[in-house]
Amino acid sequence: MTSANTPSPDPARCFHCGEAVPAGADYPIRMGTEAHQACCRGCQAVAQVIIDSGNADYYRLRSDYPATAEAALEELKKLELYDLPEVQAGFVKSEGQVREASLILEGIVCAACVWLNERHLRQLPGVLSADINFSTHRARVRWDDSRVKLSQILKAVQEIGYLAHPFDTSRQEELYRKERNTAIRRLAIAGLGMMQVMMYAIPVYLADEGTMTPDIQQLMRIASMLLTTPVVFYSAWPFFQGAGRDLKMRRLGMDVPVALGVGVAYLASVWAVLTQHGEVYFDSVTMFVFFLLTGRFLEMSARKRSAEAAESLIKLIPAAAVRLPGYPNERSEETIAAVKLTPGDHVLIGPGESFPADGQVVEGASTADESLLTGESTPLAKRPGQAVIGGSLNLDSPLVVKVEKVGADTVLSGIVRLLDRALAEKPRLALAADRVAHWFVLFILLISAGVAAVWYVVDPSRALWITVSVLVVTCPCALALATPAALTVALGRLTRMGLLSTRGHALETLARATDFVFDKTGTLTTGRFRLLNTHVVRGDATQALAVAAALEQGATHPVASAIREAAGANPVQADDLSYLPGQGAQGRVAGQTYRLGSPIYAAPDSAVPKELGGTVIALADEAGLLAWFELGDELRPQAPALVEQLKGLGLRLRLYSGDRPENVARMGERLGIADARGGMLPADKLAAVRELQQQGAIVAMTGDGVNDAPVLAQAQVSIAVDQGAEAAQAAADMVLLSNELGRLADGVRLARKTQVIIRQNLAWSVLYNAIAIPAAALGYVSPWLAGIGMSASSLLVVLNAMRLNRT
């Protein structure tokens, strides 16, 4: 039975926490025969666990929704439900005892908030890493679940005055709207207060001496005080809140000097009104609060636009999907939430609709637009047996797709996860700027104290407002934003181009690269080998090809794919398989041991026939050589143009391959690459790259195979092609998502432009403070003008970074 005080279910509000349900959200909570809506997947999972564990009376007996989001989190903390595996399933990735989650942080207003949360979380025993992206307010946290629980991490965030939620797209949008609406209200109150206070201040400024009686002047001061009070205690409250958090943690953040300036000026003015003696600064207080809030609001809007690349990726998955529960026996359709799909489901995707998950076409023929995901500008044909990527767009005809991967396992989720990691990780310049900004606040306070002491001796009547000006004008937000703002825009632009950066340092290092090292097969060539010729030494050609296909049954290299394709349906099976990266495979077929691979591995005592001019591999058994296989590969159409562009950018190009030296030399000559070496094992490539590095080179390496993983890890910056092996992508700092090889040159240009923008931002921050501090200390900057200067300096940094969208 429902309590008389129990809040009646409102479909527009979350049944669990009471927050508004975003438009299009579909997270039903089942309680008996009733269904209620949740605002996000996290609330849905938590509520369902509460109900399914026999605690549904919590919802029947509660007297109200939680008063605040903090109260909702407190309830969850007490129940420790976020530590349950079924709750974590929707947003936590597990690797043994190591967990990784993406969280949304509420209350982040400046770069100092990011620094404080990162530092606080990293101090928790068991937290392996905590990186927060200022533009998206998303945190990527990794922890050892045997040492610390997720509920403890969320509690640690709450303890310093912030709030963390599991990441959910619709919830993030709702939080952004809430943040924006609150900012507008604070700004409106400050603007109205400023205008009204100026209406009372201007007559006092313009009145001739003796024309305004003391009682009228006092009345105007009282009116100004009353109008300024809501501006200070509502509009300016985030500055005081941030300063309080900083002081509680015994550190000096960027809100401390602002709150000190606003508070001192307001209290001094109130004292002057109450004692009817001294100057008042209500007009200056309201003006610089208004300008500070205006700057933050514009900065928030600019940051939202700069992070749109990552956000647009997340929104590609549709909210609903048409499932065919009886396929292939019947064609009945049902519309369900895309998040409820499971591997093995069959879904119908009409023309103009997005694929809801990764899968394989089982019926129909169409084309798909994958440009938002991979940067591939040409629509790709999709027929039965071909893979589709969740989030890409079906263009022409209906398709039936068998779902293979959902949720965190999809290609799109992997891209977003890697992009989040790159956005969260800070390069050297950003870390240095953070350290400088932290100590700069202490420098500001010391300077302000010295200025106050000097002016109190020189001219006590001006000491207060000059000190306030110094406190406000020198906030180091621009310095702390200089690098993150540019990186966020640049990484988003790179992703739209089809070049995904997975590490924070990649862009900075790519800009400084001096040497570009390429693998040949699958990188400069298409990697689509075909068997040209089988040269039999002993035995039968068909049997030799069948054995070769059996040895390559688990390999992902393009050569292996060509052998299997040429063999067709193959009844021969191999066991005791072992692979030697860059050389070949060994296994047993029908009790006989075989080797397949490079001539030096499989047939070291035999010479390759001169008539075989392509890529050649050998098959041998215990008695010796059985056959040679000649395979052909095509040069990528964009490769010659890429080489010319990279040369034009001043880079030295090198081609290192495990293919036959004569083939590699021929390709190097065709492309104009002088240093083209063939017959290289993975260890040889590794040694060659190390030699370049010892000579002072900054090496960018591009490869695609398992054998490239060691050298990709060794290079200062590495790029894997998306069609390559997972080991190569895991070792790489960047991944080329499409076949458009020319994006590499575009990436180098953008990386160099980004470094220019970062240096401009840092130079502006230093120059601004070098001018502003002396000017304010000498009394040339009033408090309201200081507010404009501080806001404009931060806004200019963000707007300058956004120019990268137009390069």
Side-chain angles (χ1 to χ4, degrees):
M1 188 175 75
T2 303
S3 167
N5 294 324
T6 300
S8 57
D10 181 352
R13 298 179 70 184
C14 176
F15 181 68
H16 177 68
C17 72
E19 292 288 313
V21 176
D26 184 23
Y27 304 107
I29 299 169
R30 308 288 178 187
M31 189 167 72
T33 58
E34 302 173 353
H36 306 282
Q37 277 296 328
C39 64
C40 66
R41 191 180 292 110
C43 282
Q44 180 194 36
V46 169
Q48 204 64 58
V49 170
I50 291 175
I51 295 166
D52 295 344
S53 62
N55 294 308
D57 284 344
Y58 162 73
Y59 294 107
R60 297 190 183 99
L61 300 176
R62 65 180 178 180
S63 60
D64 198 359
Y65 291 112
T68 63
E70 288 86 347
L73 183 65
E74 186 65 20
E75 290 174 10
L76 301 184
K77 178 173 72 67
K78 290 177 181 177
L79 294 170
E80 296 184 344
L81 290 172
Y82 274 131
D83 297 330
L84 296 177
E86 53 266 46
V87 176
Q88 294 186 2
F91 64 94
V92 175
K93 187 174 178 64
S94 302
E95 296 177 4
Q97 286 294 328
V98 176
R99 304 284 190 269
E100 180 176 325
S102 186
L103 306 173
I104 309 172
L105 261 63
E106 285 191 63
I108 299 289
V109 294
C110 69
C113 300
V114 172
W115 182 91
L116 175 61
N117 277 276
E118 287 180 343
R119 177 169 177 156
H120 187 62
L121 288 177
R122 289 168 185 169
Q123 290 173 341
L124 292 177
V127 172
L128 306 178
S129 65
D131 300 290
I132 301 168
N133 178 248
F134 182 42
S135 296
T136 61
H137 293 185
R138 284 212 301 273
R140 186 177 66 90
V141 183
R142 297 180 75 245
W143 71 95
D144 183 343
D145 200 54
S146 64
R147 299 175 60 197
V148 64
K149 298 298 182 183
L150 179 59
S151 58
Q152 294 173 287
I153 294 173
L154 299 179
K155 179 185 176 183
V157 174
Q158 184 186 5
E159 284 174 346
I160 58 173
Y162 298 86
L163 189 62
H165 306 286
F167 171 71
D168 183 270
T169 310
S170 57
R171 181 157 195 153
Q172 186 177 42
E173 284 296 313
E174 188 66 28
L175 288 176
Y176 173 72
R177 283 194 291 270
K178 179 181 174 184
E179 180 186 5
R180 187 175 183 274
N181 291 338
T182 301
I184 290 173
R185 284 196 298 271
R186 293 189 193 278
L187 187 60
I189 295 297
L192 289 171
M194 178 190 70
M195 289 187 290
Q196 293 300 316
V197 169
M198 289 304 297
M199 288 178 62
Y200 291 110
I202 289 175
V204 176
Y205 289 146
L206 298 181
D208 294 329
E209 188 175 354
T211 58
M212 183 175 290
T213 60
D215 58 332
I216 296 296
Q217 189 172 6
Q218 178 67 2
L219 181 63
M220 290 194 172
R221 286 185 167 197
I222 293 172
S224 296
M225 180 181 69
L226 295 175
L227 290 166
T228 303
T229 299
V231 174
V232 171
F233 289 100
Y234 177 71
S235 296
W237 186 246
F239 300 116
F240 294 107
Q241 198 173 34
R245 281 194 299 254
D246 291 337
L247 295 175
K248 181 182 176 183
M249 296 298 296
R250 297 183 179 180
R251 65 174 297 273
L252 296 174
M254 299 175 195
D255 283 329
V256 172
V258 176
L260 193 58
V262 172
V264 167
Y266 173 75
L267 292 175
S269 301
V270 170
W271 179 255
V273 171
L274 297 178
T275 61
Q276 298 187 29
H277 176 74
E279 296 294 328
V280 296
Y281 305 96
F282 295 122
D283 54 336
S284 294
V285 170
T286 54
M287 286 181 75
F288 72 68
V289 168
F290 174 76
F291 288 126
L292 288 174
L293 292 175
T294 300
R296 280 201 173 177
F297 179 76
L298 294 174
E299 180 191 318
M300 178 181 69
S301 302
R303 281 192 288 104
K304 174 68 176 174
R305 288 196 298 273
S306 72
E308 280 178 352
E311 302 305 314
S312 63
L313 286 176
I314 298 168
K315 297 174 187 175
L316 289 177
I317 295 292
V322 178
R323 184 167 63 181
L324 306 177
Y327 186 87
N329 299 321
E330 57 177 274
R331 301 290 297 223
S332 60
E333 300 178 4
E334 62 175 359
T335 301
I336 65 168
V339 295
K340 292 185 178 180
L341 291 174
T342 58
D345 285 344
H346 289 83
V347 291
L348 177 66
I349 295 93
E353 297 177 354
S354 296
F355 294 99
D358 291 358
Q360 188 179 88
V361 178
V362 295
E363 182 183 315
S366 185
T367 57
D369 180 3
E370 298 179 355
S371 57
L372 286 174
L373 284 165
T374 68
E376 183 75 58
S377 56
T378 306
L380 303 176
K382 298 296 178 183
R383 294 181 175 82
Q386 293 186 311
V388 296
I389 301 175
S392 58
L393 187 67
N394 181 28
L395 295 179
D396 300 326
S397 305
L399 292 174
V400 176
V401 172
K402 181 180 179 182
V403 174
E404 294 181 339
K405 294 181 179 179
V406 297
D409 296 326
T410 62
V411 170
L412 178 60
S413 294
I415 291 173
V416 171
R417 195 159 50 244
L418 291 173
L419 183 57
D420 277 346
R421 183 176 72 181
L423 286 168
E425 290 180 353
K426 293 181 174 64
R428 293 176 305 164
L429 277 174
L431 292 172
D434 284 350
R435 286 193 296 269
V436 171
H438 173 59
W439 288 106
F440 189 62
V441 174
L442 178 59
F443 171 73
I444 292 170
L445 295 177
L446 294 174
I447 288 290
S448 301
V451 168
V454 171
W455 277 100
Y456 188 77
V457 174
V458 175
D459 187 351
S461 65
R462 302 178 64 191
L464 179 62
W465 71 260
I466 290 176
T467 303
V468 169
S469 297
V470 173
L471 284 169
V472 174
V473 80
T474 52
C475 181
C477 290
L479 184 63
L481 282 173
T483 302
L487 286 179
T488 300
V489 178
L491 293 176
R493 177 73 189 281
L494 274 179
T495 304
R496 290 195 297 272
M497 287 164 44
L499 187 59
L500 176 66
S501 178
T502 68
R503 298 287 181 185
H505 75 88
L507 208 61
E508 180 184 2
T509 311
L510 184 63
R512 298 186 295 114
T514 59
D515 292 67
F516 238 92
V517 177
F518 290 98
D519 174 49
K520 181 180 80 71
T521 305
T523 303
L524 290 177
T525 64
T526 61
R528 291 190 290 270
F529 277 92
R530 57 191 177 89
L531 183 63
L532 302 177
N533 185 24
T534 302
H535 184 87
V536 178
V537 176
R538 287 188 296 119
D540 176 67
T542 303
Q543 179 62 20
L545 187 58
V547 171
L551 294 173
E552 294 283 28
Q553 64 190 23
T556 59
H557 193 275
V559 169
S561 301
I563 292 292
R564 290 196 300 267
E565 184 179 347
N570 187 22
V572 178
Q573 296 294 318
D575 51 27
D576 294 335
L577 283 169
S578 61
Y579 296 93
L580 195 58
Q583 298 191 51
Q586 178 177 301
R588 295 179 64 82
V589 177
Q592 180 80 12
T593 300
Y594 293 89
R595 275 191 171 195
L596 177 73
S598 64
I600 197 170
Y601 169 73
D605 299 326
S606 303
V608 178
K610 293 182 179 179
E611 63 268 23
L612 302 180
T615 297
V616 177
I617 60 173
L619 175 67
D621 60 12
E622 294 170 348
L625 181 66
L626 288 172
W628 300 103
F629 299 103
E630 179 187 3
L631 300 104
D633 191 11
E634 296 179 357
L635 188 69
R636 289 182 189 259
Q638 307 96 336
L642 171 66
V643 169
E644 289 303 313
Q645 290 181 62
L646 292 178
K647 283 184 175 180
L649 292 169
L651 290 162
R652 296 186 292 268
L653 306 185
R654 306 175 192 279
L655 177 57
Y656 295 164
S657 176
D659 200 0
R660 296 168 64 191
E662 52 268 34
N663 291 343
V664 178
R666 190 160 49 245
M667 177 168 286
E669 184 177 351
R670 180 177 174 184
L671 291 173
I673 301 176
D675 186 7
R677 310 180 200 178
M680 300 184 76
L681 299 176
D684 299 326
K685 295 181 182 179
L686 197 61
V689 167
R690 283 175 176 165
E691 184 181 350
L692 289 174
Q693 291 171 332
Q694 288 169 2
Q695 296 169 2
I698 298 175
V699 178
M701 172 72 193
T702 305
D704 77 315
V706 172
N707 60 312
D708 293 321
V711 71
L712 286 170
Q714 175 64 33
Q716 281 99 330
V717 61
S718 51
I719 306 164
V721 297
D722 186 49
Q723 291 80 7
E726 288 186 10
Q729 295 183 35
D733 302 312
M734 308 179 88
V735 179
L736 182 65
L737 297 175
S738 72
N739 291 318
E740 298 188 15
L741 209 57
R743 296 301 189 187
L744 294 177
D746 295 336
V748 174
R749 292 191 192 93
L750 183 62
R752 292 181 176 180
K753 180 67 174 176
T754 302
Q755 294 307 301
V756 171
I757 293 290
I758 289 173
R759 290 190 179 94
Q760 287 175 350
N761 284 349
L762 291 173
W764 159 249
S765 302
V766 173
L767 180 63
Y768 164 77
N769 282 294
I771 296 173
I773 293 175
L778 293 172
Y780 296 119
V781 179
S782 60
W784 66 267
L785 189 58
I788 294 178
M790 174 198 162
S791 302
S793 66
S794 298
L795 184 60
L796 184 63
V797 162
V798 176
L799 294 178
N800 189 42
M802 293 185 69
R803 292 197 300 123
L804 290 166
N805 275 323
R806 301 194 297 271
T807 57

